Amino acid sequence: MLVLLLFSIFAASLNSAVLHKADLTEKGAIYKFNLFGTLVWCVCLFIANGGRLHFDTNALLWGCIYGVTQALFILFKTAAMNSGPVSITTLIGNCSLVVSVVVCFILWNEPISLADMIGLALLMLGLTLATYKKSSGTFTKKWAVFSFLFLVLGAGVGITFKAFSKSGGTAHTSDMMIVAAFVMLISYTVICLFAGGFASKSNNCTKKEKRLFIILALVSGLLSCLYNRLNIYLSGALDGVIFFPSFNGGVVVLSTVVSMIIFKEKLSVKQLLGLLLGVSGICIIGIL
């Protein structure tokens, strides 16, 4: 179980590095990027499923819920990032793990010990120190709404995984994900039409730049498909108070380390302290 969790964290962290490398600052680029990635999902999941499809009611229901939730998550994450302070928006997004843990406690009576609460507090403090930076961005009502939806939908993705695993339909997880991939494909296509994804300046880039954009999108699609497939299993096998902090916190910590190694980013003393606190919090949650 631990090996699968570490592998999922590693794949998600590599995906973060790929997203960092890709130029997604242009309006609509992120949606076109995810559109290509979702095509990879469809192909990989179909192959992994042995070329067979089994669309029962459970797979169709949860596939549609997951697909819509994931597409809306990307939409409002992008909207929140583009309309307000990035550091604070990132911090709000990280708080989704707390929402997920609380929901798991309420809906499925998953236990939360005192050690878990201490570990969770240390993790959140660590994430705050590691990701928060003073920003000159303005706080608007539009940003507040987008950030709230980003928070809720971020938690919604993990909660959907947990709810699906509790529904008893995990034997057809790949079928559910194929349905979700098609829903996301349609959603990103519609979003691209209205958000300028198909008319972005990247269409006028050089062949080399276009090739790099497509390659990174395909690699990101492969990595995201891999860690999301693992997370559906892990979210059902582990209590929420262990899975969500370990995965979310682990990705932030490892992504930062990867950025230091690959992109030569330098960390401040505050960020280093945040990483140490984050790792300590994860260890307390996972061990005690």
Side-chain angles (χ1 to χ4, degrees), residues 127-256:
L127 293 180
T128 301
L129 292 174
T131 61
Y132 177 74
K133 296 178 182 179
K134 289 185 179 180
S135 175
S136 58
T138 56
F139 301 92
T140 63
K141 290 183 179 179
K142 182 172 68 173
W143 170 80
V145 172
F146 289 156
S147 296
F148 174 74
L149 291 172
F150 170 36
L151 169 67
V152 171
L153 290 164
V157 173
I159 293 169
T160 299
F161 288 169
K162 174 70 74 171
F164 172 70
S165 67
K166 295 289 186 180
S167 71
T170 51
H172 301 293
T173 299
S174 293
D175 297 301
M176 184 278 282
M177 289 189 70
I178 290 174
V179 173
F182 276 108
V183 171
M184 287 188 284
L185 191 65
I186 295 171
S187 299
Y188 290 135
T189 301
V190 173
I191 294 172
C192 280
L193 289 172
F194 287 95
F198 293 130
S200 61
K201 293 180 182 177
S202 59
N203 293 327
N204 299 319
C205 293
T206 64
K207 288 184 178 180
K208 183 178 180 180
E209 291 171 330
K210 287 183 177 179
R211 190 182 304 116
L212 179 61
F213 182 88
I214 293 174
I215 290 173
L216 291 175
L218 297 180
V219 172
S220 176
L222 179 62
L223 290 170
S224 63
C225 182
L226 176 61
Y227 77 74
N228 276 287
R229 178 62 183 86
L230 287 172
N231 285 353
I232 291 177
Y233 168 73
L234 290 168
S235 64
L238 299 172
D239 286 344
V241 74
I242 296 176
F243 171 70
F244 294 110
S246 297
F247 176 75
N248 291 46
V251 170
V252 172
V253 171
L254 188 56
S255 295
T256 304

Side-chain angles (χ1 to χ4, degrees), residues 39-52:
L39 288 172
V40 176
W41 277 46
C42 294
V43 174
C44 290
L45 290 168
F46 186 71
I47 293 174
N49 213 29
R52 299 186 301 274

